[in-house]
Amino acid sequence: MAYYHIDPAELPETEDYPCDRRGISDAAELLALHAATYEMAPGEQLPRSYHYHKQREELFYVVSGPVHVETPEGEFAVETGEVFVAEPESPHRAFVPEDADQSARVLGVGAPKSDPGLPYEPDE
C-alpha cells in the first residue's frame, strides 16, 4: 500500500506553461490518472492551446475565481465550487477573462494519464 499527502504549493511549477501549474500525478506516482493544480491570473489560460484529447476525459473543479471555458458550442462561465467536464474529442480552452478582478484556482484531473492534447483550430 502507498499513500501520499501532498501540498501542491510545495511542488515545483511546471516550466514553459501559460499559468502556474503544479503536477500532482508525478509526485504521487500515479499511473493512470493525470492530476494538477492551476492558478491563472486575469488573461491567462490553463492549457498550452485550444485542444482536445483522443481518449482522455477531463474534469476541472473551480476552487476559486472566475473561469471561462471556450468550446465550439460556446463559452461557459464556471463558478467557484462548480465542475466542468470535457469528454474525449471535445475541444476546449479554460481561461480567466482579461477583465476579471481576481485570479482563479483549479484542480484538473483526467484519465488516461498519457493522452496528449491535440491542437484544435476553430476555423478549419
Side-chain angles (χ1 to χ4, degrees), residues 57-62 67-79 81-87 90-94 106-109:
E57 297 172 316
E58 287 190 300
L59 178 150
F60 303 105
Y61 172 72
V62 178
V67 175
H68 287 221
V69 181
E70 178 183 4
T71 75
E73 296 176 4
E75 188 173 302
F76 295 85
V78 188
E79 303 294 330
E82 293 183 341
V83 171
F84 184 86
V85 175
E87 294 182 352
S90 300
H92 58 283
R93 180 182 74 90
V106 173
L107 171 65
V109 295

Side-chain angles (χ1 to χ4, degrees), residues 12-97:
E13 186 175 341
T14 302
E15 292 183 30
D16 194 31
Y17 219 81
C19 67
D20 182 338
R21 178 190 181 278
R22 310 291 170 127
I24 297 169
S25 298
D26 292 337
E29 301 177 9
L30 299 176
L31 300 176
L33 179 69
H34 161 79
T37 60
Y38 304 85
E39 181 145 0
M40 297 174 284
E44 290 185 333
Q45 64 182 30
L46 184 150
R48 287 188 170 111
S49 66
Y50 196 172
H51 72 287
Y52 67 97
H53 297 273
K54 288 283 191 185
Q55 299 176 340
R56 181 184 288 174
E57 297 172 316
E58 287 190 300
L59 178 150
F60 303 105
Y61 172 72
V62 178
V63 176
S64 65
V67 175
H68 287 221
V69 181
E70 178 183 4
T71 75
E73 296 176 4
E75 188 173 302
F76 295 85
V78 188
E79 303 294 330
T80 297
E82 293 183 341
V83 171
F84 184 86
V85 175
E87 294 182 352
E89 303 281 343
S90 300
H92 58 283
R93 180 182 74 90
F95 64 97
V96 175

Side-chain angles (χ1 to χ4, degrees), residues 96-117:
V96 175
E98 288 188 23
D99 62 353
D101 60 358
Q102 64 178 334
S103 295
R105 292 181 49 86
V106 173
L107 171 65
V109 295
K113 180 180 177 181
S114 55
D115 183 23

